[in-house]
Amino acid sequence: GIQVEQSPPDLILQEGANSTLRCNFSDSVNNLQWFHQNPWGQLINLFYIPSGTKQNGRLSATTVATERYSLLYISSSQTTDSGVYFCAASTSGTYKYIFGTGTRLKVLA
Amino acid sequence: DGGITQSPKYLFRKEGQNVTLSCEQNLNHDAMYWYRQDPGQGLRLIYYSQIVNDFQKGDIAEGYSVSREKKESFPLTVTSAQKNPTAFYLCASKPDGYTEAFFGQGTRLTVV
C-alpha cells in the first residue's frame, strides 16, 4: 500500500517566522489532505489538495502529484499554530486513507 | 448540526473486558474510518467501510471488530485480544472516495 512520510518531524519557530512542511507519498494519489491536530486531539481540516495550489489566509498548500509530494506553507506564524500537522492520502481504486507520521510544530512567543 | 459524534469522550475499562466505542454521523457519508493514535505518534488505520454491510481491515485490525449495519453508524469493539488497548481512538467519514474526510472529537480509552 501507499507510504506517506513527512518532514521535518519537529520544528521550533519564533512567532512571525515562516515555515514549509513536506509530505512525500510513494504512489499516485487521488486524495491528499492536510490536517492540524490541536492540543486537545481534535483534527482540523486545513486543505483538501490532491493536486494544484490553494491558499487560506496565512496558510497555503501545493501538491505536485507527478513528483509525489505536497507542501504546506505557514507564513507569519503565531503561537496558536502550534500542534501537529498531518497529511493523509489514498490511491486510485481504494478508500484506504493513510496518514503520515506528522510534523510537530512549536511556535514561541 | 451536521457532524460526527463519538461517545464517550473518556472510557475506562478493566483488562480483559470488551468495550465498544460509538461513532455516528449525520452527514450522509458513505465511507467511515477508525484510527488509533498512541501518545506522540501518528494515526494508524484500524478498519474502514466504503458502504453499508461492508468493511475492510486496515493496518492494525488485530484485536478489534466493527459492524456497519446502518449508514450513519460504525461502532468499534476493542476485544480482550487487543494487547495494548489504551489509546486515543478517532472516527472519520467521507462522502465518497474523492473528497475530504471529517473527524469526530475522539475517545480516550484507558484500560487498567
Side-chain angles (χ1 to χ4, degrees):
Chain A
I2 188 172
Q3 305 294 318
V4 182
E5 295 182 353
Q6 292 183 243
S7 60
D10 296 281
L11 191 55
I12 300 175
L13 301 173
Q14 284 296 136
E15 201 167 27
N18 302 331
S19 61
T20 301
L21 283 59
R22 187 176 179 106
C23 173
N24 291 334
F25 35 92
S26 61
D27 204 348
S28 301
V29 297
N30 62 353
N31 285 278
L32 193 290
Q33 207 170 340
W34 283 97
F35 297 90
H36 175 214
Q37 189 171 39
N38 65 21
W40 297 272
Q42 185 178 3
L43 277 168
I44 299 162
N45 289 23
L46 297 178
F47 294 102
Y48 175 73
I49 188 166
S51 63
T53 297
K54 290 186 177 179
Q55 180 159 5
N56 184 3
R58 297 181 296 103
L59 272 61
S60 63
T62 295
T63 296
V64 184
T66 52
E67 297 188 21
R68 300 185 183 173
Y69 72 88
S70 183
L71 302 174
L72 177 68
Y73 305 97
I74 304 174
S75 64
S76 304
S77 58
Q78 302 175 356
T79 56
T80 51
D81 295 330
S82 297
V84 186
Y85 290 81
F86 290 105
C87 64
S90 66
T91 58
S92 178
T94 176
Y95 277 52
K96 194 175 181 182
Y97 212 38
I98 299 300
F99 275 70
T101 47
T103 292
R104 188 173 300 274
L105 174 65
K106 184 161 184 149
V107 181
L108 305 175
Chain B
D1 276 0
I4 302 168
T5 302
Q6 291 188 240
S7 61
K9 196 169 181 179
Y10 298 95
L11 189 55
F12 295 87
R13 279 294 182 270
K14 290 185 178 178
E15 195 171 340
Q17 291 181 335
N18 291 358
V19 60
T20 298
L21 281 59
S22 170
C23 178
E24 303 276 331
Q25 54 98 359
N26 60 6
L27 301 168
N28 200 34
H29 287 176
D30 283 329
M32 295 187 75
Y33 300 79
W34 274 107
Y35 292 88
R36 169 183 172 138
Q37 187 177 32
D38 292 292
Q41 304 296 314
L43 279 72
R44 293 184 290 167
L45 182 62
I46 305 173
Y47 270 98
Y48 63 105
S49 168
Q50 296 175 208
I51 200 167
V52 174
N53 293 323
D54 185 50
F55 49 82
Q56 286 80 39
K57 293 181 179 180
D59 296 325
I60 56 164
E62 185 174 349
Y64 299 97
S65 66
V66 294
S67 63
R68 187 85 188 277
E69 297 175 3
K70 298 187 294 182
K71 188 175 187 177
E72 58 269 25
S73 179
F74 192 40
L76 174 74
T77 296
V78 184
T79 75
S80 56
Q82 169 50 234
K83 302 218 181 300
N84 296 297
T86 295
F88 185 47
Y89 291 87
L90 286 152
C91 176
S93 71
K94 293 166 107 260
D96 54 40
Y98 301 95
T99 50
E100 62 184 317
F102 296 88
F103 277 80
Q105 304 270 31
T107 293
R108 293 191 186 275
L109 172 65
T110 302
V111 175
V112 296

